[in-house]
Amino acid sequence: DFVGQQRVEQLARIVLISTTAISFVAGFATQSLAVTFGIFGAVTAVLALTIIPPWPVFKQHPVRWLAARK
C-alpha cells in the first residue's frame, strides 16, 4: 500500500541520515575509516532486515482495486 511505502521511505531516510552523521562523528573521533564504514554498514544491514520483508505494520491500508468489466 502507498501509506506503508511512505512510512518505509520516511523511516529509511531518517535512519540513514542520522546514521551517516553518527558514523562520521565516530570515525572522525577515532580517526578510523573502518569504524565509519562498520557502523554505517551494520545499521544499513539492520535497516534492510527491518524494511524489506512485508511486515503487517506496513500493510495496514491495502489498495482497493475496481471490479473487472465484462
Side-chain angles (χ1 to χ4, degrees):
D1 65 55
F2 297 114
V3 176
Q5 288 178 359
Q6 183 179 13
R7 286 181 185 166
V8 166
E9 185 178 343
Q10 288 175 344
L11 176 68
R13 183 179 298 129
I14 290 168
V15 169
L16 288 175
I17 290 172
S18 60
T19 299
T20 302
I22 291 168
S23 64
F24 175 77
V25 170
F28 187 75
T30 60
Q31 291 293 304
S32 174
L33 208 53
V35 170
T36 302
F37 288 123
I39 292 172
F40 189 77
V43 173
T44 301
V46 170
L47 179 66
L49 291 174
T50 305
I51 63 174
I52 290 177
W55 298 105
V57 71
F58 299 128
K59 297 189 318 182
Q60 293 180 355
H61 304 282
V63 176
R64 307 230 187 265
W65 296 95
L66 296 175
R69 293 186 187 179
K70 294 185 179 181

